Amino acid sequence: MKSSSAGWGPQWLLKMSPDKQDTLLKMLVLSIAAILSFSTRLFSVLRFESVIHEFDPYFNYRTTRYLTEEGFYSFHNWFDDRAWYPLGRIIGGTIYPGLMVTSAVFYHALWFFNITIDIRNVCVFLAPMFSSFTTLVTYWFTKELKDAGAGLVAAAMIAIVPGYISRSVAGSYDNEGIAIFCMLLTYALWIKSVKTGSLFWSCLCALAYFYMVSSWGGYVFLINLIPLHVLALMLTGRFSHRIYVAYSAVYCIGTILSMQISFVGFQPVQSSEHMAALGVFGLCQMHAFIDYVRSKLSVEQFNILFRSIVLMGAVVSLSVAAIGTATGKISPWTGRFYSLLDPSYAKNNIPIIASVSEHQPTTWSSFYFDLQMLTIMFPAGLYFCFNRLTDANIFIIMYGVTSIYFAGVMVRLMLVLAPVMCILSGIGVSSTLNTYMKNLDVSRKDKKTSKKNVDHTYPFKNEVATGVVFLVTAFLITYTFHCTWVTSEAYSSPSIVLSARAGDGGRIIFDDFREAYYWLRHNTPEDAKVMSWWDYGYQITAMANRTILVDNNTWNNTHISRVGQAMASTEDKAYEIMRELDVNYVLVIFGGLTGYSSDDINKFLWMVRIGGSTDRGAHIKEADYYTPQGEFRIDKEGSPTLLNCLMYKMCYYRFGEVYTEGGKPTGYDRVRNAEIGNKNFDLDVLEEAYTTEHWLVRIYKVKDLDNRGA
Amino acid sequence: MSKRGDTSAALKSAPSENLVSVLKKFYDEYMTSTSKRLKIVDAYLVYILFTGVIQFVYCALVGTFPFNSFLSGFISTVGSFVLAVCLRLQLSSISSDRVVWCFHYRPRSC
């Protein structure tokens, strides 16, 4: 076989059998896709530095650091008294530990081999690495659904799809980075167990489900989609003992394992979100039993038995459900998930959920921005799935349809839609190319003899096929360009470091946030308490290492409302609240000098709404902060309540003396594009402690009580 | 429904076709047609069912504290029951004397 002395050349490649060529090609494509998915997420590391982005990842980073330093036992029992002063937070019982444990495992494994990578770098690069794994799992998943060709296309698509990149870029150290991998792994193992009906694959699926539960709160989607799939199979008459084995094993083992996570606790047997799985489990047992009985009896006898059992069963289950819901044993749907079914619920009732920008409904432009070509190829993939309906295809159809609905309700859930879009588009593209490439006529010389089985459905088969292949190739190429452009421009900003172009073309870096946090860390006492809006809580605890009042966990609405009241009241009222909460320093973000538009004045109306939503804040009414015409203005026409509240004074203290733009008066706010109304005032109860270089972060110290009283 | 009504009326005239007789017929059929191996597995299933029911009734009477214990005991009975049923399916598909149970079996390429 190896007789040729030419060695490693093209002859070696061509001498291989078609099977080996096939395998080599697949491995090549897959490794290129995996490497590509890792490298396309590194834009921000190359442009700035290896730093953790945004807000939530800082909390995950802090907990991971704690885990690697203190060990798992301390981590699991951690009570944090440096957040939510004076309440504290039970961190061990209120997080999903999968992400931290994964990072710690990698960290210890690397250190075991004396590869001393700092924990921060492990955290920054964890998400891109898991995206490579996701690419491989997507290939396997689509191969189970259709064939290897579709798998390769789907893997290549998911490597660069912007909807997934947005939450898994290097530095975005958040639950979703590993959760998508766990979700696809669970689904792939579920499909495998449905196809084979073996206990081995079902148990593996349950273990993958446990990993998924430990990593993200979105596991509720899985525990509802899998029973829905089983229900659909029952209704279409495809229930068999394979499905019974697969679902029963996955449900029993998966439920026990999911209750091992402290945050999940007893929810799988008590909350409404998990009741569908329990119901379908019961239905599975009954269906299997009925099939067994039916095989033993004749038709009429079976009908008599069946009718009486159904009557009894319906009465019993309805009464149990009614009693359970009425007595409160089965808790109703929580706010976060209820707002998925009724999108207007959060807007009307829970301002905190409504204020997060990620929870807004998705626009059409977002769909195109995040998915481009996939939105068009997705229906084609659905069609091909319906064409050849199997148990596994029904699952992917349901997954696709439900994800489309949820992605339409909440922008954040676009992440859940991206993988299924890639899978179905992969199926669509691969099937289209399969159909048309059969018609390609490669033999150019021999035109006189036609093929034996030519069919005359339409003329010019060869030309049409070539045209279609070119078209699909062009689509895929534009998809690549679009995805890379989107990743580079939109999803690679660290948010903690900003950059802009100066007038002369040079780059200015705004590192104000870290400057302020490190000032706090080095210039304030260890037990100082800092009040700020909840967005910045995680960053302050992670980088400044000081106690804070409220942070991004937003678990206590009343406490946040108290902070909102302090920000929205006059100085004297706010001083009472700040003395009550033992506040030493106050931190605000101000973008008026630089034109940074996500500052606290733009968020101020949310502070007013949340502050006014509890009893003690009933005197704060949103209408007071608008002009009589109903506008929100900060200039002379602005409402006096607004111009005298604490947030206004903190942001614009001494700003009235500053020139910001040529040709404009002093105190010109570059975000609101107006000259401020209340200049030249003094602060009574605060004194300015620190303002960063570009005035982005302003820190004030709360004055102590007077020495001699009133 | 009317046609079935005729046949069931015709059958109802024969006093043997009511719920109790159906159950008895089912029991006879079961006793004669299942192999010894399957009967042992079925006895085990009934035993596990009893332990599960007893635990549930106890919990309903006495209260759920400590909930951990109740859950672990109950779920282990449910899990053992399910695994034994999976074993039974495997056995009955191997023993090909009565393949009728598998009439819903669909090969995996479907």
Side-chain angles (χ1 to χ4, degrees):
Chain A
M1 202 169 86
K2 292 256 174 80
S3 56
S4 122
S5 57
W8 301 81
Q11 289 94 344
W12 174 73
L13 283 172
L14 294 172
K15 273 213 180 78
M16 279 196 294
S17 68
D19 275 347
K20 285 209 183 131
Q21 282 181 353
D22 188 49
T23 316
L24 179 67
L25 195 61
K26 276 189 211 161
M27 284 181 52
L28 206 62
V29 171
L30 274 181
S31 32
I32 291 178
I35 295 175
L36 179 67
S37 68
F38 186 88
S39 33
T40 192
R41 287 163 166 79
L42 298 181
F43 275 104
S44 68
V45 173
L46 295 170
R47 285 177 187 162
F48 299 98
E49 61 179 282
S50 154
V51 71
I52 308 263
H53 297 186
E54 305 250 321
F55 301 115
D56 278 359
Y58 272 99
F59 173 71
N60 298 329
Y61 171 56
R62 180 171 163 244
T63 47
T64 313
R65 235 180 19 207
Y66 189 89
L67 172 60
T68 52
E69 283 160 15
E70 310 286 333
F72 185 71
Y73 191 73
S74 313
F75 171 75
H76 203 229
N77 293 315
W78 188 14
F79 179 80
D80 188 24
D81 54 355
R82 295 184 75 84
W84 295 93
Y85 183 87
L87 305 163
R89 179 184 170 184
I90 307 172
I91 291 194
T94 56
I95 57 166
Y96 287 103
L99 178 67
M100 299 85 185
V101 171
T102 309
S103 298
V105 163
F106 273 109
Y107 175 78
H108 287 303
L110 286 170
W111 277 68
F112 179 74
F113 290 110
N114 283 326
I115 305 172
T116 52
I117 298 187
D118 183 42
I119 183 70
R120 195 197 75 228
N121 287 324
V122 172
C123 294
V124 164
F125 291 106
L126 189 80
M129 194 171 62
F130 267 80
S131 74
S132 299
F133 297 155
T134 307
T135 310
L136 301 174
V137 167
T138 310
Y139 163 72
W140 185 49
F141 188 21
T142 319
K143 191 163 90 99
E144 291 295 320
L145 287 171
K146 189 122 195 320
D147 56 31
L152 290 174
V153 181
M157 283 177 168
I158 202 171
I160 50 175
V161 66
Y164 178 35
I165 287 187
S166 64
R167 306 290 305 198
S168 68
V169 80
S172 170
Y173 181 58
D174 211 352
N175 297 50
E176 287 93 347
I178 59 169
I180 295 297
F181 167 72
C182 303
M183 186 172 77
L184 287 175
L185 185 67
T186 312
Y187 283 150
L189 287 169
W190 167 249
I191 290 297
K192 190 84 181 161
S193 47
V194 160
K195 283 172 80 168
T196 57
S198 96
L199 264 181
F200 172 68
W201 290 110
S202 312
C203 293
L204 281 184
C205 179
L207 286 176
Y209 174 67
F210 171 57
Y211 192 21
M212 174 74 199
V213 170
S214 74
S215 65
W216 196 33
Y219 75 91
V220 177
F221 180 59
L222 268 87
I223 200 61
N224 280 307
L225 186 62
I226 291 180
L228 219 61
H229 177 225
V230 174
L231 197 64
L233 290 177
M234 278 194 217
L235 291 176
T236 53
R238 286 167 169 269
F239 187 77
S240 66
H241 70 262
R242 284 177 296 121
I243 318 290
Y244 175 81
V245 169
Y247 184 64
S248 308
V250 166
Y251 180 71
C252 289
I253 301 179
T255 305
I256 302 182
L257 286 176
S258 67
M259 292 202 267
Q260 305 308 307
I261 309 290
S262 328
F263 195 25
V264 173
F266 294 133
Q267 281 177 33
V269 291
Q270 281 178 341
S271 82
S272 307
E273 291 136 12
H274 296 86
M275 283 301 123
L278 183 64
V280 171
F281 179 66
L283 213 58
C284 249
Q285 311 301 316
M286 290 198 311
H287 198 293
F289 185 64
I290 287 172
D291 280 348
Y292 172 69
V293 169
R294 194 201 295 245
S295 68
K296 299 264 179 214
L297 297 177
S298 72
V299 179
E300 294 92 4
Q301 298 159 342
F302 176 72
N303 278 337
I304 295 176
L305 190 60
F306 187 62
R307 255 179 274 155
S308 41
I309 288 184
V310 162
L311 202 60
M312 212 169 52
V315 163
V316 165
S317 58
L318 276 175
S319 55
V320 162
I323 293 176
T325 316
T327 56
K329 280 245 170 2
I330 299 180
S331 57
W333 288 67
T334 56
R336 232 174 13 134
F337 293 109
Y338 190 74
S339 64
L340 287 177
L341 295 179
D342 178 14
S344 63
Y345 175 72
K347 201 146 146 270
N348 298 334
N349 298 23
I350 313 177
I352 282 205
I353 295 183
S355 74
V356 182
S357 68
E358 295 175 321
H359 293 176
Q360 307 308 317
T362 325
T363 55
W364 277 110
S365 51
S366 286
F367 273 107
Y368 183 76
F369 192 69
D370 276 344
L371 301 166
Q372 217 228 4
M373 278 303 145
L374 303 184
T375 52
I376 303 174
M377 298 179 195
F378 168 78
L382 272 182
Y383 162 74
F384 281 112
C385 281
F386 270 112
N387 221 0
R388 231 179 28 132
L389 218 50
T390 68
D391 293 346
N393 278 351
I394 292 184
F395 176 76
I396 200 69
I397 291 173
M398 297 186 60
Y399 178 22
V401 169
T402 46
S403 326
I404 285 253
Y405 170 70
F406 287 126
V409 172
M410 211 189 252
V411 167
R412 189 177 180 187
L413 295 180
M414 181 72 85
L415 174 72
V416 173
L417 177 65
V420 72
M421 277 264 183
C422 292
I423 293 171
L424 281 169
S425 307
I427 294 179
V429 165
S430 171
S431 308
T432 310
L433 286 176
N434 262 346
T435 318
Y436 279 98
M437 274 188 159
K438 283 198 288 247
N439 297 337
L440 274 182
D441 194 4
V442 190
S443 63
R444 299 176 296 278
K445 318 270 195 301
D446 235 352
K447 285 239 168 27
K448 46 187 195 303
T449 56
S450 59
K451 293 195 281 280
K452 277 192 277 290
N453 52 352
V454 68
D455 69 87
H456 297 282
T457 44
Y458 60 90
F460 298 115
K461 274 189 172 327
N462 188 26
E463 285 73 16
V464 169
T466 323
V468 168
V469 169
F470 267 119
L471 203 62
V472 172
T473 315
F475 280 158
L476 292 174
I477 292 177
T478 53
Y479 173 70
T480 316
F481 277 111
H482 173 91
C483 291
T484 318
W485 179 84
V486 166
T487 310
S488 161
E489 297 301 314
Y491 290 139
S492 297
S493 74
S495 300
I496 190 131
V497 180
L498 310 166
S499 90
R501 293 234 163 267
D504 56 355
R507 215 161 63 127
I508 315 180
I509 302 276
F510 297 96
D511 208 0
D512 290 39
F513 295 100
R514 292 194 292 177
E515 182 189 340
Y517 298 140
Y518 279 97
W519 183 90
L520 271 180
R521 191 189 187 109
H522 292 134
N523 292 297
T524 57
E526 280 283 336
D527 59 350
K529 291 143 193 86
V530 181
M531 179 171 91
S532 71
W533 193 235
W534 58 261
D535 282 336
Y536 317 109
Y538 282 155
Q539 285 182 341
I540 298 178
T541 34
M543 282 193 270
N545 198 23
R546 291 289 173 267
T547 312
I548 51 160
L549 293 188
V550 290
D551 68 19
N552 310 54
N553 192 27
T554 66
W555 66 267
N556 192 330
N557 196 27
T558 316
H559 212 54
I560 297 182
S561 165
R562 205 86 184 103
V563 170
Q565 289 157 29
M567 298 292 194
S569 316
T570 55
E571 271 193 85
D572 306 316
K573 291 263 176 348
Y575 190 64
E576 287 169 18
I577 301 179
M578 289 196 286
R579 291 295 304 175
E580 176 193 325
L581 294 172
D582 289 346
V583 177
N584 301 119
Y585 289 90
V586 188
L587 185 145
V588 289
I589 307 288
F590 172 59
L593 190 85
T594 48
Y596 177 65
S597 56
S598 311
D599 66 348
D600 277 358
I601 294 285
N602 274 355
K603 292 181 191 161
F604 182 62
L605 280 176
W606 283 110
M607 296 186 203
V608 169
R609 283 177 199 134
I610 295 175
S613 69
T614 57
D615 294 337
R616 294 180 78 178
H619 59 278
I620 296 183
K621 297 183 201 17
E622 192 181 340
D624 291 341
Y625 296 86
Y626 290 117
T627 61
Q629 292 84 22
E631 294 175 328
F632 179 73
R633 295 176 71 142
I634 49 136
D635 52 11
K636 283 204 186 25
E637 322 288 326
S639 125
T641 331
L642 174 62
L643 263 48
N644 286 310
C645 72
L646 186 73
M647 174 56 71
Y648 184 94
K649 287 194 170 170
M650 284 197 291
C651 286
Y652 293 120
Y653 180 63
R654 290 191 306 114
F655 189 61
E657 302 145 17
V658 177
Y659 279 103
T660 53
E661 261 185 40
K664 299 281 196 309
T666 57
Y668 184 76
D669 185 338
R670 290 174 75 179
V671 177
R672 267 64 57 176
N673 288 323
E675 179 191 350
I676 59 172
N678 190 6
K679 296 187 191 182
N680 305 329
F681 53 85
D682 279 325
L683 290 172
D684 295 327
V685 301
L686 302 172
E687 57 184 9
E688 186 181 359
Y690 189 69
T691 300
T692 56
E693 184 186 342
H694 302 105
W695 288 50
L696 268 177
V697 184
R698 311 198 67 180
I699 303 178
Y700 293 87
K701 186 168 165 26
V702 177
K703 283 190 201 163
D704 210 348
L705 291 167
D706 282 339
N707 263 335
R708 278 187 236 179
Chain B
M1 200 52 201
S2 60
K3 240 174 48 160
R4 208 180 275 176
D6 285 351
T7 41
S8 70
L11 287 167
K12 273 211 183 74
S13 63
S16 59
E17 295 303 330
N18 55 13
L19 191 61
V20 177
S21 66
V22 166
L23 287 174
K24 188 166 179 309
K25 181 161 183 314
F26 173 64
Y27 183 70
D28 291 333
E29 175 94 29
Y30 170 78
M31 276 306 178
T32 50
S33 63
T34 43
S35 68
K36 197 151 175 58
R37 189 184 278 181
L38 289 181
K39 281 202 189 125
I40 295 177
V41 177
D42 286 338
Y44 176 65
L45 286 176
V46 169
Y47 157 71
I48 290 201
L49 195 65
F50 270 140
T51 50
V53 167
I54 290 174
Q55 283 187 44
F56 195 78
V57 168
Y58 178 83
C59 173
L61 288 177
V62 177
T64 58
F65 182 80
F67 200 42
N68 288 336
S69 320
F70 165 65
L71 274 184
S72 63
F74 190 66
I75 294 184
S76 57
T77 59
V78 169
S80 309
F81 184 85
V82 159
L83 289 176
V85 172
C86 297
L87 174 67
R88 193 185 192 283
L89 289 175
Q90 238 183 352
L91 288 178
S92 69
S93 70
I94 290 174
S95 71
S96 56
D97 46 344
R98 291 289 282 225
V99 240
V100 184
W101 202 112
C102 307
F103 80 103
H104 256 312
Y105 175 73
R106 302 180 89 88
R108 67 175 168 127
S109 63
C110 177

